[in-house]
Amino acid sequence: QVQLVESGGGLVKPGGSLRLSCVASGFMFSASSMRWFRHGPGKERELVANITETGETTNYAGSVKGRFTISRDNHKNTVYLQMNSLKPEDTAVYYCNTRWAFTNYWGQGTQVTVSS
């Protein structure tokens, strides 16, 4: 019953911005940390950002620190990833993730392509 649905991906030029959204249902969103992962071509899946239950703490991969911002709206059961100053190496499928009842759940992913 846990469901995570990402949206907001697309094709952007280097230096551009996108905001990804993940709408969650089927679990206690406000009591759950949320994460964004990405899986680029020829690369292993990478943890991009994490946000704690109320948003008081965030963590980022070094490769995106200072460019990406994770946030959440617990009233909307939604977590966001604001992506600025995008680089070609940010090209990947981005996945929303949560750990609920000691199980990891994933969305279907949304494609982000950064190319001139």
Side-chain angles (χ1 to χ4, degrees):
Q1 291 188 292
V2 172
Q3 185 171 312
L4 303 170
V5 181
E6 303 96 333
S7 62
L11 173 63
V12 297
K13 294 185 176 181
S17 297
L18 285 173
R19 189 179 74 162
L20 307 183
S21 299
C22 172
V23 179
S25 61
F27 65 101
M28 194 176 299
F29 179 82
S30 62
S32 304
S33 294
M34 299 297 297
R35 302 171 183 87
W36 286 98
F37 285 80
R38 66 185 181 187
H39 194 174
K43 302 177 182 178
E44 295 296 318
R45 187 177 62 198
E46 175 188 22
L47 175 63
V48 176
N50 174 82
I51 187 166
T52 52
E53 292 85 345
T54 57
E56 73 277 4
T57 303
T58 57
N59 299 97
Y60 300 92
S63 58
V64 308
K65 190 174 297 183
R67 300 187 297 119
F68 290 11
T69 302
I70 188 171
S71 61
R72 66 192 297 158
D73 185 338
N74 285 351
H75 288 111
K76 296 182 178 179
N77 282 7
T78 302
V79 62
Y80 305 94
L81 186 67
Q82 179 66 46
M83 309 165 65
N84 298 327
S85 302
L86 283 162
K87 304 175 180 180
E89 52 262 44
D90 295 318
T91 295
V93 179
Y94 284 71
Y95 297 92
C96 182
N97 163 266
T98 191
R99 182 177 296 173
W100 178 251
F102 307 103
T103 301
N104 279 303
Y105 295 91
W106 303 89
Q108 83 290 346
T110 185
Q111 176 71 50
V112 173
T113 302
V114 185
S115 179
S116 298

